[in-house]
Amino acid sequence: MAVYEPPSPPPAGGSRDPVPQRRRSGSQELRLTHADRDTAVETLRECYAAGQLDEEEFEERLGLAINAKFPSELEPLLTDLVPSQQQKAGQVASSVSGKEKEGPRSASDRMYATLGHFSGYFTFVGPLLLLATSRDISPFVRRHLTEALNYQITVAVASIAAMALGFLILPLVLWGFMMLGWMFMPAVAGITALMGGEMRYLFTWRPVRDGSEQGT
């Protein structure tokens, strides 16, 4: 025979309420996980480091984020903030968009940019003269001439340093690898420019900036 067990009495001082108020009111929100809170906290820290929040605002929002139970409690803490990664992504997208607006590269621009890279075989003087004597050149050509000049400056400085440290083995070995790259990299860059592409040399010091890099 089944035995009927009456429900346990409510705790002293109030009625028993096992169902959260939000669920009883028809809300479909699921409770936050530790990972959700950690993500929000990390976003707040990035925005504080970027200067979007002062110390008081950061501490207040941080405490609310740590104690939040539902996504709707996090939304007002983050809606007016943009994480630093998104800012950088926006800057990159803006830069790419600006280059796309330049339109197709003309044959003369591509040839001039190619010449800039091949002139580097006559040391940095080649791209320096082209850059200094050229007026009204396109941003595409200026970028390539500037990159070629910076690469040749890097090779020249490294060569001087290797000669000064000639009594050491490691600098000479590194210089040997750099000169091996110097034999091929300007040619690769020149072909890239001839095809209308962009070129960034590896391990290059860039003391000279073109107009599009002034704000970076």
Side-chain angles (χ1 to χ4, degrees):
M1 182 176 67
V3 179
Y4 172 74
E5 296 183 0
S8 57
S15 60
R16 186 177 182 182
D17 187 12
V19 182
Q21 184 65 30
R22 285 178 175 265
R23 291 184 177 244
R24 198 176 333 112
S25 64
S27 173
Q28 299 299 317
E29 280 190 292
L30 296 178
R31 285 178 174 265
L32 296 169
T33 64
H34 291 306
D36 295 330
R37 296 187 191 91
D38 290 344
T39 300
V41 167
E42 184 62 27
T43 300
L44 290 172
R45 286 175 177 165
E46 291 171 357
C47 294
Y48 172 65
Q52 293 179 278
L53 295 172
D54 59 32
E55 185 174 357
E56 183 179 353
E57 290 174 323
F58 171 65
E59 292 179 354
E60 180 182 0
R61 296 194 188 198
L62 186 64
L64 293 173
I66 292 173
N67 294 316
K69 294 181 174 60
F70 295 93
S72 60
E73 298 175 36
L74 291 180
E75 290 176 5
L77 305 179
L78 304 173
T79 52
D80 60 338
L81 302 175
V82 180
S84 56
Q85 289 89 342
Q86 293 183 12
Q87 290 178 337
K88 293 177 181 178
Q91 293 172 357
V92 172
S94 176
S95 175
V96 172
S97 176
K99 292 178 182 179
E100 289 176 349
K101 291 179 181 178
E102 295 174 8
R105 322 317 189 180
S106 66
S108 59
D109 281 352
R110 289 185 278 116
M111 286 296 297
Y112 206 86
T114 300
L115 178 62
H117 289 289
F118 278 97
S119 68
Y121 286 119
F122 300 97
T123 71
F124 66 90
V125 175
L128 176 61
L129 286 176
L130 289 176
L131 189 61
T133 58
S134 301
R135 295 183 178 181
D136 299 326
I137 57 176
S138 69
F140 171 77
V141 175
R142 185 171 298 278
R143 283 196 300 272
H144 276 280
L145 293 181
T146 303
E147 187 68 10
L149 175 59
N150 283 326
Y151 178 70
Q152 297 302 330
I153 289 175
T154 301
V155 172
V157 172
S159 299
I160 294 173
M163 287 187 291
L165 301 174
F167 57 92
L168 300 175
I169 301 298
L170 183 59
L172 290 178
V173 172
L174 294 177
W175 179 77
F177 279 110
M178 173 168 280
M179 295 308 297
L180 183 64
W182 177 81
M183 295 172 62
F184 300 100
M185 291 305 297
V188 172
I191 295 173
T192 301
L194 188 61
M195 297 175 64
E198 301 289 342
M199 180 66 186
R200 297 282 284 182
Y201 290 94
L202 298 176
F203 309 112
T204 299
W205 177 41
R206 294 179 173 86
V208 181
R209 301 292 187 94
D210 68 84
S212 63
E213 293 181 330
Q214 294 300 327
T216 59

